[in-house]
Amino acid sequence: MNDHSINTVKPLDPKTLVDEASKVIDFIASYYENVEKYPVRSQVEPAYLKKLLPCDSIPYSPESMEAILEDVRSKILPGLTHWQSPNFFAYFQANASNAAFMGDMLCTGLNVNGFNWISSPAATELEEIVMDWMGEMLDLPHEFLFSGNGGGILHGSTCEAMLCTLAAARDKALNGLGPEGITKLVVYSSDQTHFSFEKSARLVGILPSNFRAIPTSPSNAFALSPDDVRAAMESDLSEGLLPLYLCATIGTTASCAVDPLKELGLVAKHFGAWLHVDAAYAGSACICPEYRHYLNGVELADSISINPHKWLLINMDCCCLWLKSPKTLVESLSTRPEILKNKASELNQVVDYKDWQMALSRRFRALKLWFVIRRYGLSNLMNHIRSDVELAKYFSSLVLKDQRFELVVPQMFALVCFRLRPKHDEDVHGTNEMNKKLLEAVNSSGHAYMIHAILGGKYVIRCAIGGTLTERCHIDGLWRLIQEKSSVLLDGSDHMMS
């Protein structure tokens, strides 16, 4: 066998980079132009790809970029759920934009590993700048900004932000209690808090029996009750336990409930508990003055995180975490290996982001955030948020005009939770099953994708609007599809009853 082609390959060749990158960009541009043609939710069966790409087919010789992209088109794309489709209304959206894409291209192309300042000073310093920019856009208290002796970091997800701040709160408490005191530490959230919080608590050593998911109710739109938190903390104190950490949410996953930050902050302060604000989804909306009041009380928090990759035109992944006292986080997560020692770090002149996260390595995420803010400006980012909220209001109006449907909770931000009305008030199971069938009928059609939630025992359909490509015509198309599938289901149900 002639191995000449293998021996002479140049993995990083500027001469071929432009040609091959152009092919990939053309492929992506074509994908976006045609993304509506694909079934939104993937229609493949489990293990489909192993049949198309057998494990024993490892390439021995180089293959052309054209051949690889053809396999992406014919084998990979059918196995994707198309998050950038304008008809994707599931979960919370994962925004994308040209500017973020370009920033990510630069991040990948430069390929620096900015774990500490000296390993790439610009990566660290740009991150500090854009984190203060974002903080100012959200009108965060000055204490959360680098310019106010606080500071922020770009993580990959809110899960990381929760894990790191939990670790910081734990170690701060154990400094006084001793390591055996970990069995006394209790964390608090609502039953609507993101499920990753419970996982994070387990990872930092909180006993499962010391995790409090406080029930919420429809009476206050599933927001966390400060009185219930206070009662839970008082009860735990009476049992010899110690309230450690309270997680409040701005925009819960199921229904976009908003917890009352100020009141919860006062409770946390009274008991000496760390208050973290998870604003992963709805936090982005707070760059608009009309939504900023949802963050009132954040001045009482110890930390806050938002995910611009959900709603602020930033390609994944990008989570902003701010802290009033970064020193507490650094004391918990810092390491000082000999190989990483340098003058700037030793003199405490710089930020070393390795000490603000779990991993050592880190991407130059600040580039895409910097690109988006500069390329679109605050005015266009606010318009993007407002446009999505208007589309949600429009969809809500369509639901309310059809007497067969109801809104389960008021529309919040760009999320609408609705369902088919029960034919009989006592028929909870039948109504839930009917809505489950409706959702599957919509999703299996391939023309749209939504998911469900359970709120107060009710099976509800979530319509999360916010895709970069979504326009009013797509909302109209979704509603026609829902009505069509509902008519078929309801007619069939009436026929069976008769």
Side-chain angles (χ1 to χ4, degrees):
M1 180 179 291
N2 186 353
D3 288 344
H4 179 71
S5 61
I6 299 175
N7 295 332
T8 59
V9 68
K10 295 181 178 179
L12 192 58
D13 184 357
K15 294 180 180 179
T16 60
L17 176 62
V18 173
D19 177 62
E20 294 195 338
S22 296
K23 288 183 172 66
V24 174
I25 291 175
D26 288 344
F27 183 93
I28 294 171
S30 176
Y31 169 72
Y32 284 142
E33 289 175 350
N34 295 284
V35 68
E36 282 190 72
K37 298 178 182 178
Y38 297 101
V40 186
R41 188 184 72 180
S42 178
Q43 308 292 302
V44 301
E45 297 295 326
Y48 91 100
L49 193 57
K50 293 179 181 177
K51 299 173 184 176
L52 299 176
L53 298 174
C55 295
D56 59 358
S57 61
I58 302 172
Y60 185 76
S61 299
E63 299 182 32
S64 69
M65 182 60 68
E66 292 82 358
I68 297 170
L69 288 176
E70 174 54 29
D71 275 353
V72 174
R73 185 195 65 78
S74 62
K75 298 179 175 67
I76 302 299
L77 291 186
L80 297 182
T81 290
H82 298 280
W83 284 66
Q84 301 313 313
S85 169
N87 297 307
F88 181 95
F89 304 102
Y91 313 105
F92 283 127
Q93 65 276 4
N95 270 179
S97 68
N98 289 0
F101 179 72
M102 301 306 166
D104 237 2
M105 282 181 63
L106 269 179
C107 172
T108 300
L110 297 174
N111 201 34
V112 301
N113 190 352
F115 46 76
N116 63 2
W117 180 85
I118 198 66
S119 66
S120 270
T124 295
E125 295 192 15
L126 184 61
E127 189 159 335
E128 294 179 57
I129 290 169
V130 296
M131 286 303 297
D132 270 10
W133 279 9
M134 281 296 301
E136 291 172 5
M137 288 163 61
L138 292 166
D139 194 22
L140 291 182
H142 194 56
E143 304 96 291
F144 281 107
L145 309 184
F146 282 106
S147 56
N149 296 319
I153 178 174
L154 292 173
H155 281 164
S157 70
T158 294
C159 307
E160 295 176 59
M162 288 177 172
L163 182 62
C164 291
T165 53
L166 272 165
R170 174 203 62 193
D171 290 348
K172 181 181 178 182
L174 294 182
N175 283 339
L177 295 174
E180 66 280 357
I182 195 167
T183 60
K184 297 182 178 181
L185 303 180
V186 186
V187 300
Y188 305 82
S189 68
S190 84
D191 58 1
Q192 302 297 309
T193 303
H194 197 275
F195 51 82
S196 62
F197 180 56
E198 184 175 3
K199 180 190 292 187
S200 298
R202 292 203 307 265
L203 286 172
V204 300
I206 302 300
L207 297 179
S209 59
N210 286 359
F211 183 86
R212 307 283 182 261
I214 298 172
T216 57
S217 71
S219 62
N220 62 347
F222 298 98
L224 181 57
S225 164
D227 289 339
D228 291 346
V229 175
R230 180 181 294 276
M233 290 186 175
E234 287 176 346
S235 175
D236 286 330
L237 273 177
S238 69
E239 296 293 328
L241 301 175
L242 181 67
L244 174 72
Y245 187 110
L246 170 61
C247 182
T249 306
I250 306 299
T252 59
T253 302
S255 65
C256 220
V258 175
D259 294 336
L261 293 190
K262 186 172 183 179
E263 293 80 1
L264 291 171
L266 292 173
V267 174
K269 183 178 181 180
H270 177 77
F271 289 94
W274 182 295
L275 175 62
H276 176 72
V277 178
D278 170 13
Y281 165 65
S284 293
C286 296
I287 66 171
C288 301
E290 63 268 31
Y291 301 120
R292 173 57 179 78
H293 67 276
Y294 290 114
L295 289 182
N296 287 352
V298 70
E299 64 275 6
L300 297 170
D302 296 277
S303 55
I304 176 174
S305 58
I306 74 165
N307 287 3
H309 67 231
K310 281 187 168 64
W311 205 6
L312 215 55
L313 299 178
I314 308 292
N315 294 35
M316 289 185 67
D317 51 14
C318 184
C319 168
C320 297
L321 167 67
W322 291 270
L323 304 103
K324 278 184 180 175
S325 176
K327 179 181 178 183
T328 307
L329 184 72
V330 171
E331 287 175 348
S332 175
L333 302 180
S334 66
T335 53
R336 294 171 58 84
E338 186 65 34
I339 194 173
L340 297 184
K341 288 183 179 179
N342 62 88
K343 183 178 179 180
S345 296
E346 293 299 303
L347 294 177
N348 293 317
Q349 296 174 329
V350 295
V351 169
D352 287 338
Y353 273 126
K354 71 178 180 63
D355 297 329
W356 294 49
Q357 63 179 33
M358 299 304 297
L360 171 64
S361 300
R362 60 195 327 269
R363 302 179 73 242
F364 195 175
R365 291 190 184 97
L367 276 173
K368 58 187 171 187
L369 192 53
W370 190 53
F371 265 54
V372 166
I373 296 173
R374 292 191 63 187
R375 189 70 183 87
Y376 303 132
L378 177 57
S379 61
N380 281 308
L381 293 175
M382 289 191 294
N383 288 340
H384 168 67
I385 297 290
R386 289 166 176 156
S387 174
D388 290 340
V389 174
E390 287 304 311
L391 288 178
K393 290 178 180 177
Y394 174 61
F395 182 76
S396 295
S397 72
L398 296 175
V399 173
L400 291 172
K401 288 176 183 177
D402 191 326
Q403 294 184 352
R404 299 175 299 175
F405 292 88
E406 66 178 0
L407 296 180
V408 180
V409 291
Q411 169 244 325
M412 282 291 289
F413 301 102
L415 178 66
V416 182
C417 295
F418 70 101
R419 67 169 185 162
L420 282 165
R421 288 181 181 273
K423 292 186 176 181
H424 308 286
D425 289 341
E426 66 275 7
D427 187 17
V428 176
H429 176 74
T431 303
N432 285 351
E433 286 301 308
M434 184 64 73
N435 281 282
K436 186 182 296 185
K437 290 177 181 178
L438 171 58
L439 180 60
E440 181 53 31
V442 169
N443 290 342
S444 61
S445 74
H447 298 305
Y449 184 33
M450 299 179 290
I451 64 167
H452 78 282
I454 303 293
L455 292 173
K458 298 176 181 178
Y459 185 101
V460 303
I461 300 173
R462 295 171 71 262
C463 178
I465 297 168
T468 311
L469 300 175
T470 301
E471 299 176 353
R472 182 163 173 151
C473 62
H474 301 106
I475 304 302
D476 287 329
L478 171 64
W479 184 240
R480 286 194 299 270
L481 178 63
I482 292 169
Q483 289 185 308
E484 172 193 325
K485 299 301 182 183
S486 298
S487 295
V488 172
L489 279 172
L490 293 173
D491 288 347
S493 174
D494 291 341
H495 178 73
M496 289 179 63
M497 292 179 65
S498 62

